[in-house]
Amino acid sequence: MKNYLVLTAFCIFSNFMTCLAQNVVVKGIVLDATNNEPLGFASVALINSDSVVVTGCMSDVDGHFEINAQRGTYIIKVSFIGYKEVVQTSHLTENTVDVGTISLHEDATMLQAVEVRGHLPKTVLKGDAVVTNIEGTILEHTGNANDVLAKVPGMIDNNGKLEVIGRGTPVYYINGRKITDDSELRNLMSEDINSVDVVSNPGALYGGDVRCIVRIKTVKRQGEGFSYALTSQAKKYTTCRYFDPSWTVLDINYRTGGWDFFGKFVYWAQHNFQLSDVFGSTYLVNDGVPFSHIQDGTINAKNYQGGLQYVGGINWQINPNQSLGIKLDYANNLFGNEKMITDNDVIVNGVLDDHLTALNDVDNSDSYQFTSNIYYDGTFNKLNINFNADFMQASITNKTDITEASWHESSNLSSRASADVKMGAAKLVISYPVWKGSLQVGSEETYFEGSQQYKITKEDIPSADSRDRENTIAAFAQYSLLLPFGQFGAGLRYEHVNFSYYDDENSANNIKRRQDDWFPSLNFSTKINQVGISLGYTGKTHRPSLNNYTNELTYVNRYTYQTGNPLIKSSQERTVSLNANWKWITLSSAFESAENSITQWASPYNDKGIVILRSYNLDDTYNNFSIYLNASPTIGVWNPRYTVAYSKPHLRLKVTDQREPSGERIIKRNTPMYMIQANNAFQLKHNWLFEINYQYISTMSEQIASITKEIHKIDLSVQKSFLKDNALTLKLSWIDVLATNAVHHYEVDYGAYFIRQTNDRRNPGIFLRASYRFNSAQSKYKGTGAGQSVKERM
């Protein structure tokens, strides 16, 4: 009943604000008069009879603008660097006034014989986002979306994984639709990308556990008919003899009238390697007698997996203001195998007690995932309705054979772990202009259920059979107000969560939990002279994954077990951000404070040296401050993009250690991270592009862990485009020339247990990528998806 009251309150608030609105909507489009292309980020101002700027805005990346104002007569002034400004008078008497196309002509005195597109602002602030233009810049020719994102201000390549600096792995959107597979980024070529938005503090429209997002907007292609894009990449490892076909993606699209039919076929196959030195030490006191247990050895692991993915869908553009569509996506593993050999000396109380060698042979080829989305997007006068419904079903099974050789007792074990999940979600967003701004209200509901089974042929580890169910109902409102001195935004999101855990082996472990959370967000952006400034605040949460909840005991090796924790709680996070931009310089900073942060904690399982890893909420508050500065000038054919970043965590841990007189000690994880990126691109004649990129990441504290080895990475690449409209592109890259980026050293001190591990993932290689595009066209599909945060957790 409470949920319906919340939704009703939002509806009443929306109607009340609508009744107050007696404003006029002024809209139009700004174009380049020479080539008739849209001009994004042009300044549009309404000036009254007293020559006072009443309100204004910037055109979006497609040149469109929309301003809310009171009725009356105004001067509309449109300006953009490198162009002559346009001034015209408009009488605002109707509810909606379309001033049509405003064409700007180049200003020869400002251009000084240099092409104006070279002076487009590469990065600007727009509301809560740091927006980087791709079209018309050097990044337009850099490769695919992954290559672009690695060079966008605010992003960092952290050991092969793209992250938002200081905020972690983002959720990606392409044209408003959340993507669920990496192949979309692989096959989206940089020539098809218009802009990239990096949002470190997403507002109420996104889930309470979405910490950062990246929005990619593509170039709008004209025309109809058949088109396709074929991209393939191969890799030769430089540290071993293996050669991988990596991946091949075929995108097909056919457009006629208002219909858009699209499909995708993906094949992928790749190796992953790891060589590690591992040292683990346990200390405890049994009946007053000290006991120490040490494992000192190596890990040699090799994984080879491959699979297929099929995507198909239809989009129907009913009219310019309405569209609907459906998308189906099925993926399955064709093969999957991992072999891991561990070789350890076991030292008990300072004496060599055992030498343990183990071979883990894992078959994980039996898995699949099916997702579907249906959407509707329509605008009626000033009212916009966007609806999405999603369904997802997935299954995975791991079969493991373990052979252990020991001085004391050798063994042969087999285990089987499986998980099946289903999810349904729906999301409705209604937008309407209110007063001098825009109001968005909506609701989202997500339901999932999952089951997990685990069996092993080891008597002291019981079989596990459990089920999870979670139902989340959310309501949200977000209002954006345009004022003469800036833009103000405020949002509020309410989420009600019902969670149930059922242990079919032991009902005493069953648990039910209900949680109600409110997530506020605030944002203010303005421009002082030529400096854009944005200030934001958000409240977020981090909910446990399914693995965090499970109570099953999993066998890792003879001396390590793993389990979840049905009592694990969601963390609560608060973030304040400040961004600034001047010409080609961007500064971004954020301070985050988190309560009940989720981690894995290791502790002694018994008095025989066995350690158990368990899902755990940290008792102390985790704070982190991050800041980065990016400079992206253009100097002739040289296009440098330099970034320096600093991140300072603060975490105080109280751990149990019986070697201390008090039985406890304090551990601090406060080591800052320093990062330097120096990306250098040289664009030469005849479509040649050369890149020399360098990245440095220092040692640091990463939540409870300490990263103990710095990283230096150098990448080299050469790219050439051929044929009409650059339809064929070849790119040759040598990634991680120094073979140091794949090295990852860390240590964690849990008090009674300490682990130090050095990992060499042996990933450096030479890549050859070929891409051919025929009549390239992006799908018109506009589904944005629902239940995205739950999909990520699944």
Side-chain angles (χ1 to χ4, degrees):
M1 184 64 184
K2 183 176 180 179
N3 301 327
Y4 295 108
L5 290 175
V6 173
L7 291 172
T8 302
F10 275 103
C11 293
I12 293 173
F13 173 72
S14 174
N15 292 332
F16 173 73
M17 294 298 292
T18 302
C19 292
L20 293 178
Q22 299 294 331
N23 59 317
V24 177
V25 178
V26 185
K27 61 182 181 179
I29 182 172
V30 184
L31 298 180
D32 183 321
T34 303
N35 53 32
N36 210 37
E37 290 187 357
L39 279 180
F41 310 104
S43 296
V44 184
L46 287 187
I47 304 173
N48 63 17
S49 57
D50 297 324
S51 299
V52 176
V53 176
V54 177
T55 185
C57 70
M58 294 180 71
S59 61
D60 63 20
V61 291
D62 295 318
H64 293 282
F65 65 87
E66 188 172 295
I67 302 175
N68 292 276
Q70 301 297 318
R71 299 175 189 273
T73 300
Y74 297 90
I75 295 174
I76 301 178
K77 184 171 74 171
V78 182
S79 60
F80 189 80
I81 184 171
Y83 290 80
K84 297 177 181 178
E85 69 178 26
V86 171
V87 177
Q88 66 183 47
T89 302
S90 184
H91 303 284
L92 310 184
T93 57
E94 304 295 331
N95 290 336
T96 301
V97 177
D98 190 344
V99 298
T101 299
I102 299 177
S103 298
L104 299 187
H105 294 266
E106 297 177 356
D107 189 339
T109 59
M110 295 183 65
L111 293 175
Q112 297 178 350
V114 179
E115 183 183 3
V116 70
R117 295 182 66 83
H119 290 281
L120 287 174
K122 295 180 181 179
T123 303
V124 297
L125 297 181
K126 187 177 180 182
D128 60 352
V130 177
V131 181
T132 300
N133 296 314
I134 308 302
E135 187 182 13
T137 73
I138 189 66
L139 293 181
E140 184 179 36
H141 308 290
T142 196
N144 66 7
N146 282 321
D147 300 318
V148 170
L149 292 172
K151 299 173 177 65
V152 164
M155 301 291 290
I156 181 176
D157 182 352
N158 188 1
N159 208 12
K161 184 173 67 173
L162 291 170
E163 297 180 352
V164 175
I165 296 176
R167 301 293 289 158
T169 303
V171 177
Y172 293 99
Y173 290 81
I174 297 179
N175 293 333
R177 175 182 58 84
K178 198 272 182 183
I179 71 167
T180 56
D181 65 275
D182 292 340
S183 65
E184 292 200 51
L185 295 177
R186 294 171 185 165
N187 199 47
L188 178 58
M189 306 312 295
S190 54
E191 291 85 355
D192 294 321
I193 300 177
N194 182 284
S195 63
V196 174
D197 300 2
V198 178
V199 184
S200 59
N201 260 345
L205 270 63
Y206 303 93
D209 51 357
V210 177
R211 303 179 70 236
C212 53
I213 63 172
V214 171
R215 298 189 294 246
I216 300 173
K217 190 166 186 178
T218 62
V219 177
K220 288 189 176 180
R221 303 295 182 185
Q222 303 299 320
E224 299 188 345
F226 174 76
S227 66
Y228 68 85
L230 178 64
T231 304
S232 186
Q233 177 174 285
K235 176 182 181 180
K236 174 62 179 73
Y237 294 85
T238 56
T239 55
C240 61
R241 59 182 176 84
Y242 287 97
F243 174 86
D244 276 349
S246 289
W247 47 265
T248 297
V249 183
L250 174 64
D251 261 318
I252 301 174
N253 192 271
Y254 179 73
R255 298 198 288 187
T256 177
W259 294 91
D260 178 23
F261 303 89
F262 59 92
K264 177 187 293 184
F265 174 82
V266 182
Y267 169 77
W268 62 276
Q270 65 181 31
H271 283 89
N272 289 292
F273 307 94
Q274 180 175 322
L275 291 174
S276 302
D277 293 323
V278 184
F279 175 87
S281 173
T282 303
Y283 182 89
L284 47 85
V285 176
N286 296 321
D287 298 326
V289 179
F291 171 81
S292 69
H293 186 278
I294 294 174
Q295 294 181 77
D296 191 0
T298 62
I299 297 175
N300 188 343
K302 180 179 72 174
N303 178 287
Y304 187 49
Q305 292 193 15
L308 293 172
Q309 182 181 5
Y310 318 86
V311 180
I314 301 173
N315 184 81
W316 180 28
Q317 192 80 29
I318 303 171
N319 57 50
N321 296 320
Q322 296 185 75
S323 62
L324 60 86
I326 185 172
K327 180 185 178 185
L328 307 176
D329 188 329
Y330 179 82
N332 68 287
N333 276 11
L334 292 176
F335 52 87
N337 178 261
E338 178 180 337
K339 287 183 168 59
M340 182 174 67
I341 300 174
T342 59
D343 195 345
N344 287 292
D345 287 331
V346 180
I347 302 169
V348 178
N349 293 326
V351 178
L352 182 62
D353 181 73
D354 195 3
H355 185 82
L356 179 64
T357 302
L359 169 63
N360 288 36
D361 192 341
V362 183
D363 179 358
N364 52 17
S365 59
D366 186 11
S367 67
Y368 76 90
Q369 176 176 301
F370 170 76
T371 60
S372 62
N373 169 264
I374 184 171
Y375 86 93
Y376 170 79
D377 185 85
T379 300
F380 303 88
N381 195 6
K382 294 182 289 184
L383 179 71
N384 177 261
I385 299 174
N386 183 275
F387 173 77
N388 279 267
D390 284 75
F391 173 77
M392 177 179 180
Q393 181 170 317
S395 176
I396 185 170
T397 300
N398 287 342
K399 303 172 185 176
T400 306
D401 293 321
I402 305 171
T403 303
E404 294 181 336
S406 168
W407 289 352
H408 302 304
E409 182 183 1
S410 298
S411 62
N412 293 292
L413 304 173
S414 295
S415 69
R416 176 187 173 92
S418 62
D420 297 275
V421 293
K422 293 181 181 179
M423 186 213 72
K427 184 177 182 179
L428 175 67
V429 181
I430 299 175
S431 305
Y432 193 82
V434 174
W435 194 36
K436 295 183 179 181
S438 176
L439 176 68
Q440 292 177 292
V441 296
S443 63
E444 183 173 11
E445 181 167 5
T446 305
Y447 173 81
F448 85 75
E449 61 179 27
S451 62
Q452 305 88 37
Q453 295 81 36
Y454 179 77
K455 293 182 179 180
I456 187 170
T457 57
K458 185 172 175 59
E459 295 181 356
D460 58 339
I461 297 183
S463 298
D465 190 349
S466 61
R467 292 170 290 122
D468 311 89
R469 290 179 182 174
E470 184 175 279
N471 187 34
T472 302
I473 298 176
F476 52 85
Q478 186 163 298
Y479 183 67
S480 179
L481 176 64
L482 190 61
L483 301 170
F485 52 84
Q487 180 174 314
F488 175 77
L492 185 63
R493 185 181 181 95
Y494 165 76
E495 292 187 353
H496 170 79
V497 182
N498 276 323
F499 172 77
S500 301
Y501 172 85
Y502 303 95
D503 188 337
D504 293 337
E505 298 288 340
N506 184 1
S507 60
N509 292 327
N510 292 355
I511 186 171
K512 291 187 177 182
R513 184 185 304 161
R514 171 175 170 168
Q515 188 171 336
D516 295 276
D517 293 300
W518 293 88
F519 303 106
S521 61
L522 296 170
N523 180 268
F524 175 75
S525 58
T526 188
K527 195 167 186 179
I528 302 175
N529 294 325
Q530 297 186 47
V531 180
I533 300 174
S534 174
L535 177 66
Y537 167 83
T538 58
K540 292 290 182 179
T541 188
H542 180 203
R543 295 197 176 95
S545 67
L546 294 182
N547 288 334
N548 293 133
Y549 282 125
T550 182
N551 201 39
E552 66 185 36
L553 193 63
T554 303
Y555 184 87
V556 179
N557 58 49
R558 181 169 293 192
Y559 293 106
T560 308
Y561 297 166
Q562 185 172 342
T563 187
N565 179 7
L567 299 178
I568 195 78
K569 296 181 292 185
S570 299
S571 67
Q572 304 299 320
E573 303 170 357
R574 297 168 298 279
T575 304
V576 177
S577 62
L578 175 64
N579 303 320
N581 172 257
W582 177 75
K583 294 184 178 179
W584 39 265
I585 296 177
T586 302
L587 176 72
S588 181
S589 62
F591 176 78
E592 173 191 354
S593 181
E595 304 283 347
N596 296 319
S597 294
I598 299 172
T599 189
Q600 273 200 329
W601 195 262
S603 59
Y605 179 71
N606 57 22
D607 58 0
K608 299 179 181 179
I610 297 176
V611 173
I612 186 168
L613 294 168
R614 190 187 307 273
S615 300
Y616 180 75
N617 290 114
L618 295 180
D619 296 327
D620 295 286
T621 301
Y622 174 77
N623 296 321
N624 186 68
F625 171 75
S626 60
I627 186 171
Y628 75 83
L629 178 69
N630 172 269
S632 304
T634 299
I635 307 172
V637 298
W638 178 36
N639 288 263
R641 285 180 172 267
Y642 289 1
T643 301
V644 292
Y646 170 82
S647 180
K648 171 68 173 178
H650 179 80
L651 179 63
R652 184 176 180 272
L653 300 170
K654 181 184 291 187
V655 300
T656 300
D657 190 343
Q658 294 175 298
R659 285 166 291 197
E660 299 293 326
S662 64
E664 296 178 338
R665 59 186 170 89
I666 301 298
I667 298 174
K668 294 182 179 181
R669 290 290 175 256
N670 303 333
T671 305
M673 181 273 290
Y674 300 91
M675 188 274 290
I676 299 173
Q677 279 184 340
N679 296 326
N680 303 273
F682 301 88
Q683 187 175 19
L684 306 181
K685 294 181 179 180
H686 308 298
N687 297 317
W688 284 98
L689 179 65
F690 295 88
E691 292 188 70
I692 304 174
N693 302 323
Y694 170 76
Q695 179 172 281
Y696 165 79
I697 301 178
S698 69
T699 60
M700 72 182 97
S701 295
E702 195 170 70
Q703 205 195 48
I704 65 172
S706 293
I707 308 302
T708 58
K709 186 176 179 61
E710 59 189 18
I711 293 173
H712 298 268
K713 181 187 179 187
I714 295 178
D715 298 337
L716 305 175
S717 70
V718 57
Q719 179 177 301
K720 167 71 173 169
S721 297
F722 304 87
L723 305 181
K724 183 181 178 181
D725 298 324
N726 299 325
L728 175 64
T729 301
L730 300 179
K731 183 174 184 178
L732 182 66
S733 306
W734 186 358
I735 303 301
D736 194 10
V737 175
L738 302 177
T740 55
N741 186 57
V743 178
H744 184 243
H745 295 187
Y746 75 92
E747 60 184 39
V748 186
D749 188 348
Y750 299 97
Y753 177 67
F754 172 86
I755 184 171
R756 179 176 62 245
Q757 186 163 330
T758 65
N759 299 320
D760 181 358
R761 296 190 173 91
R762 305 173 68 189
N763 287 331
I766 296 175
F767 295 79
L768 177 62
R769 180 187 304 157
S771 175
Y772 179 76
R773 299 180 297 149
F774 172 75
N775 194 24
S776 178
Q778 292 298 322
S779 168
K780 296 179 180 179
Y781 198 77
K782 300 179 182 178
T784 59
Q788 301 305 336
S789 60
V790 174
K791 290 180 186 177
E792 294 296 322
R793 292 164 58 214
M794 292 168 65

